[in-house]
Amino acid sequence: MYVSDEGDGNWKYENLQHIDHQLLKDGDKFKIGNLTLEVLHTPGHTPESISFLLTDHGGADRPMGIFTGDFVFVGDVGRPDLLEKAAGYRGTADLGAKQMFASLQRFKQLPDYLQVWPAHGAGSACGKALGAVPSSTVGYEKMFNWALQFTEEEPFINALLDGQPEPPKYFAIMKHVNKVGPALFKDLQLPVKATDVSELQVWLRNDMVIDTRAANEFADKHIPGTINIPFNQSFANWCGWLVDYEAPLYVLIEEEGQLPEILKALRSIGIDNTTGYMDVNIALAEVPEIERYMNVDPHEVRESVEKGEVAVIDVRNQAEWDEGHIPEAIHIMLGTLPDRLAEIPQDKPLLIQCATGVRSAIAASILQANGIKDVKNLLGGF
């Protein structure tokens, strides 16, 4: 393992003594066959951040590209506020923004032809405008990356810190795991399969039960008290926001073959305490009560919204809300909803909306699981 030795004592990796490793500082080099990787300390996203310049000595004596990690993305740069917002390190956002500005001045000195290979693409919460293209060049980013257009520090810092998306709660967990190491796979217990609905009732009384079916199936019929996080590309993200890392977790699945992939997704963000699982169709057939919520089109609810007969709950991100929202809507970002249930009106039916109807479906399940039953989900969203 080649790991950064930059940053102060808070950012030094631990528990490396039993692992073959090399600590890296700015300017260090190491070889893999004919490839040489040179280390650049590029703080900003985090204090210990490093990038790697790649030279292929099979036919060249100059670098061909740079692995930028969470430093420079296609069309964006790494956000410096995660340590402060998610991990609670006060004052690190402004310092990180200053460091990012300095690191970008160094990036601008690199040859235009160098390829850029970042660690993330569109959809990552590590920035606010990541492009979907998987790679770029230094020259292209100099021309079109918004963050590389600034020549003065203060305007850059203001622009960088403005409009960053809400940091998922699991980022604090992730920082800890990155530093001290994850639980060993061999020590993790496999969840126990339940076949009797009485076991499910015990789970529901004490802990979180996630129904992993598609949202439309869940809306049509589900078990009271369960939360719907569909098993798709956003599954790990929303589990990281909504799951209690300290408590047992139970999942309802449609096929036995889904379980390994579900566990892999959960463990990838440190949710290691998945204790039990059950076939959702067996559970639905045996439980004494079934619940549902309605999916509605905008034209079905427009009049009742305009008359104030329903309360609109907007669960989008802050930046989406700032760009425009339904008048009189209440803004509670989905990931914060379980902590803000007291803000939900109880005197009228609820219409839950996001940008597409996907996040609002998760929100509808959270509200119903917490006893707020009269909810409708807006299909198509804002």
Side-chain angles (χ1 to χ4, degrees):
M1 293 183 66
Y2 294 88
V3 297
S4 175
D5 195 31
E6 295 287 359
D8 62 28
N10 287 324
W11 317 111
K12 301 302 183 185
Y13 292 97
E14 299 175 7
N15 302 318
L16 292 170
Q17 59 270 26
H18 302 300
I19 301 170
D20 185 14
H21 70 279
Q22 182 175 327
L23 299 176
L24 299 173
K25 293 278 193 182
D26 185 75
D28 285 349
K29 296 179 181 181
F30 60 93
K31 297 194 70 173
I32 304 172
N34 281 331
L35 306 177
T36 295
L37 289 152
E38 180 180 352
V39 178
L40 273 67
H41 182 210
T42 50
H45 180 65
T46 58
E48 81 282 13
S49 171
I50 54 177
S51 300
F52 298 95
L53 278 171
L54 173 68
T55 301
D56 180 1
H57 295 286
D61 59 359
R62 280 178 274 180
M64 66 182 297
I66 179 171
F67 293 97
T68 51
D70 284 20
F71 168 39
V72 173
F73 302 121
V74 177
D76 202 3
V77 294
R79 59 190 295 183
D81 60 322
L82 287 179
L83 294 174
E84 184 160 331
K85 290 182 179 178
Y89 291 95
R90 295 176 64 87
T92 53
D94 285 333
L95 176 59
K98 288 178 178 288
Q99 291 175 329
M100 178 61 74
F101 182 77
S103 294
L104 289 175
Q105 305 319 300
R106 189 177 186 187
F107 180 86
K108 290 178 181 180
Q109 303 307 310
L110 296 172
D112 286 356
Y113 64 81
L114 284 186
Q115 297 177 64
V116 174
W117 304 301
H120 300 301
S124 169
C126 286
K128 57 183 175 180
L130 278 73
V133 180
S135 64
S136 183
T137 65
V138 169
Y140 189 86
E141 294 309 306
K142 286 181 188 178
M143 288 190 292
F144 299 113
N145 190 316
W146 71 266
L148 291 164
Q149 309 313 309
F150 289 86
T151 56
E152 296 182 8
E153 183 182 77
E154 186 174 350
F156 168 80
I157 291 173
N158 293 335
L160 181 60
L161 294 177
D162 181 54
Q164 291 290 355
E166 294 85 347
K169 291 182 179 178
Y170 68 83
F171 275 26
I173 304 292
M174 182 168 61
K175 186 63 193 175
H176 175 77
V177 171
N178 282 345
K179 181 177 179 179
V180 306
L184 294 178
F185 186 78
K186 69 181 180 64
D187 294 333
L188 298 179
Q189 299 296 315
L190 286 174
V192 176
K193 183 177 183 179
T195 56
D196 191 320
V197 75
S198 63
E199 296 177 75
L200 173 60
Q201 299 300 336
V202 174
W203 300 349
L204 288 167
R205 282 195 296 270
N206 300 311
D207 299 297
M208 178 180 283
V209 180
I210 293 176
D211 186 328
T212 61
R213 291 177 299 154
N216 62 321
E217 297 177 42
F218 183 90
D220 185 55
K221 59 178 179 179
H222 58 266
I223 298 160
T226 58
I227 291 174
N228 181 216
I229 305 180
F231 184 55
N232 55 30
Q233 287 185 330
S234 298
F235 178 74
N237 177 60
W238 292 117
C239 284
W241 269 105
L242 300 169
V243 170
D244 182 351
Y245 274 74
E246 303 301 320
L249 175 68
Y250 301 87
V251 292
L252 300 178
I253 63 176
E254 292 186 276
E255 301 173 10
E256 195 80 19
Q258 289 181 311
L259 185 63
E261 290 302 310
I262 288 173
L263 290 176
K264 181 180 179 181
L266 291 169
R267 289 167 174 173
S268 74
I269 56 168
I271 299 176
D272 297 332
N273 198 14
T274 308
T275 305
Y277 73 101
M278 187 173 184
D279 185 308
V280 66
N281 295 308
I282 293 175
L284 287 166
E286 293 185 5
V287 292
E289 181 184 1
I290 293 295
E291 198 167 62
R292 57 181 48 84
Y293 65 79
M294 289 182 61
N295 288 308
V296 293
D297 291 315
H299 71 271
E300 297 179 71
V301 292
R302 175 173 178 171
E303 185 176 346
S304 59
V305 170
E306 290 175 343
K307 290 181 177 180
E309 296 170 348
V310 299
V312 179
I313 310 297
D314 185 332
V315 298
R316 297 175 301 155
N317 296 336
Q318 184 66 46
E320 295 172 289
W321 168 267
D322 291 342
E323 288 176 0
H325 52 267
I326 296 172
E328 309 303 324
I330 299 168
H331 181 226
I332 303 178
M333 185 266 177
L334 173 58
T336 67
L337 181 58
D339 300 322
R340 300 176 63 185
L341 293 172
E343 301 174 39
I344 302 295
Q346 302 283 332
D347 59 344
K348 59 181 69 175
L350 302 178
L351 178 67
I352 319 300
Q353 56 96 185
C354 62
T356 63
V358 174
R359 287 170 287 177
S360 53
I362 298 175
S365 77
I366 293 171
L367 293 171
Q368 286 198 325
N370 284 277
I372 304 172
K373 302 298 184 181
D374 194 357
V375 300
K376 293 181 175 67
N377 179 45
L378 186 64
L379 292 176
F382 184 75

